[in-house]
Amino acid sequence: MNNTLLWLRAESKAFEERTLLTPAVTRELLKAGFEVVVERSVARIFDDADYQEAGCRLVPEGSWQAAPAHAFILGLKELDPVLGPFTRRHVHFAHVYKHQSGWQETLSAFARGKGTLYDLEYLVDEQGRRVAAFGYWAGFVGAATAVLAWAGQALGKEPSLPALQAWPDKNALIAEVREQLEQALSQGTTPSAVTMDAGSDASSAAPSDESATLGPKALVIGALGRCGRGACELLEACNVPVTRWDQAETAAGGPFDAVLEHELLINCVFVNAPGQPFTTREHLQSASRRLSVIADVSCDPTGEFNPLPVYQDCTTMDRPVERLLPATSATPALDIVAIDHLPSLLPRESSEDFSSQMLPHLLGLKEPGSGVWSRAEAVFKQYRDLAIGQ
């Protein structure tokens, strides 16, 4: 009988420094009797030597295509379907179950190779709740990029947010956001600046008074989830007032005028069913719009359930913002940040968190026909058959 072989592939997506397996978690898997092979990677936040010291065998980048047939190929981001047909068992985020661009090609590549996809987004418990997610760190970084873009507008930067590189830790990120916000506020002219009471209740807009300071206020939709909590923590750490919305506030269906009334919109909602959009292009044309930055942390522009159908493509680390609307005499310019791997900007902390969440479930790969793995496989088979027309 073959040992359970876990093969950690190098990530091929640009600017991706995270990993599914940290050296610490790898040690636990080795102790449990797994065989772990790690592809070398110059991009991964952890050094190859850390895995070798843990007891892993190191192999060249991209060699997963020649891995033993019984291997589980572990990664984070999606594989290009041109690398198919996929003949093995793969664990990663594929972004194909909401009819995103290329979903049929990817699933057809699995069908041709008779491989299996265990999509990390669809590893759920008996109640349908995800067992592991990067959501907290996605929200944390997403809110940071929104404030940085707002400050960039106020400081006259074009684009409002330059190319991004990973921060060493969350404290360094908070420090930079605070610094840029302070510089913007010191200019005295801000994009649609509002008067806010720094000591006000963060759940609602604050009244004006003489002790108030100019600055943005943020609307976080999905505030009660992991992603929303991360966004709110960053905003609170930077003294940005927050209005928190969740299912109760959005149940009636949009577009919502509250979106227009806030300088920042942080979308943290995971949507897997049709509904009314939070805003539309037409809605954003309102002369009363104060909104100047959207951070779409959920980032699903090609999905059929996208609640922000105001843009077509994701932004990237080297071009993090897209200008949706120019400034007018009545309204500020409107930028969107829609990066689909925001936690990569805090790669060490987000990898350590996610890998620790995954450990008890990775231990279950010795019996993949049960638990979260069997549920993920059932979802895969449903959509694979749909993709090939069965």
Side-chain angles (χ1 to χ4, degrees):
M1 179 178 176
N2 292 321
N3 293 332
T4 304
L5 172 58
L6 307 181
W7 190 288
L8 181 65
R9 62 175 170 83
E11 297 295 328
S12 57
K13 191 179 184 77
F15 302 100
E16 184 56 82
E17 299 181 31
R18 294 174 298 167
T19 181
L20 177 56
L21 296 185
T22 64
V25 165
T26 300
R27 287 189 181 91
E28 296 302 316
L29 293 167
L30 291 167
K31 289 179 184 177
F34 287 87
E35 181 183 359
V36 183
V37 172
V38 176
E39 292 186 1
R40 296 182 182 275
S41 172
V42 296
R44 190 184 294 125
I45 188 62
F46 300 99
D47 292 337
D48 294 341
D50 295 336
Y51 293 94
Q52 192 166 33
E53 182 181 346
C56 301
R57 178 164 62 94
L58 298 183
V59 296
E61 181 174 343
S63 56
W64 61 267
Q65 292 177 295
H70 67 281
F72 289 91
I73 311 300
L74 307 184
L76 281 180
K77 300 307 293 183
E78 65 274 12
L79 290 171
D80 192 319
V82 302
L83 297 174
F86 299 123
T87 59
R88 295 166 181 80
R89 294 173 290 185
H90 290 259
V91 180
H92 61 256
F93 290 103
H95 306 297
V96 291
Y97 294 160
K98 291 185 283 184
H99 294 186
Q100 293 100 325
S101 176
W103 73 277
Q104 288 179 301
E105 291 83 355
T106 295
L107 290 171
S108 295
F110 275 97
R112 293 196 310 274
K114 298 182 180 179
T116 302
L117 168 66
Y118 299 99
D119 194 305
L120 289 166
E121 191 172 350
Y122 292 83
L123 296 183
V124 298
D125 63 17
E126 294 85 352
Q127 287 73 46
R129 295 187 295 260
R130 290 179 61 182
V131 300
F134 282 101
Y136 174 87
W137 296 105
F140 194 94
V141 177
T145 61
V147 180
L148 288 171
W150 184 90
Q153 290 180 359
L155 293 168
K157 296 180 181 179
E158 183 62 42
S160 59
L161 192 60
L164 298 172
Q165 293 184 334
W167 284 272
D169 55 47
K170 77 171 190 177
N171 291 330
L173 174 55
I174 291 171
E176 181 171 339
V177 174
R178 286 176 172 173
E179 178 186 2
Q180 292 298 307
L181 187 58
E182 183 178 350
Q183 287 185 22
L185 297 177
S186 69
Q187 296 295 304
T189 58
T190 60
S192 188
V194 293
T195 305
M196 301 299 300
D197 182 351
S200 67
D201 180 356
S203 65
S204 60
S208 301
D209 63 32
E210 294 180 356
S211 64
T213 57
L214 291 176
K217 63 182 188 295
L219 172 62
V220 176
I221 304 183
L224 299 183
R226 281 177 283 204
C227 180
R229 290 198 301 271
C232 291
E233 179 172 322
L234 179 285
L235 294 165
E236 290 169 351
C238 298
N239 298 315
V240 175
V242 185
T243 301
R244 297 170 175 83
W245 276 22
D246 211 87
Q247 292 182 350
E249 291 79 8
T250 58
F256 301 109
D257 287 343
V259 168
L260 306 177
E261 297 163 2
H262 292 76
E263 283 68 35
L264 311 177
L265 169 63
I266 322 294
N267 175 39
C268 297
V269 177
F270 171 71
V271 177
N272 58 2
Q276 295 298 312
F278 300 154
T279 189
T280 63
R281 280 275 184 174
E282 181 180 7
H283 184 235
L284 292 172
Q285 299 293 334
S286 170
S288 65
R289 174 177 59 82
R290 306 180 71 90
L291 182 70
S292 59
V293 179
I294 298 172
D296 189 7
V297 181
S298 299
C299 195
D300 192 18
T302 64
E304 61 182 329
F305 307 136
N306 178 23
L308 291 174
V310 298
Y311 69 108
Q312 301 297 319
D313 297 299
C314 296
T315 60
T316 61
M317 297 295 192
D318 53 347
R319 299 186 67 181
V321 293
E322 176 188 344
R323 178 61 48 91
L324 294 181
L325 293 172
T328 70
S329 59
T331 57
L334 177 59
D335 289 334
I336 187 166
V337 181
I339 299 171
D340 65 359
H341 54 138
L342 282 166
S344 300
L345 292 167
L346 286 176
R348 185 175 296 273
E349 288 157 308
S350 60
S351 293
E352 290 172 341
D353 185 15
F354 189 78
S355 193
S356 295
Q357 293 176 57
M358 282 295 301
L359 176 57
H361 308 289
L362 291 168
L363 292 170
L365 278 175
K366 289 186 176 181
E367 297 181 7
S370 61
V372 298
W373 304 106
S374 63
R375 287 187 283 273
E377 184 173 0
V379 175
F380 161 69
K381 288 179 176 178
Q382 173 190 347
Y383 283 93
R384 175 202 62 190
D385 294 346
L386 180 63
I388 62 178
Q390 294 186 357

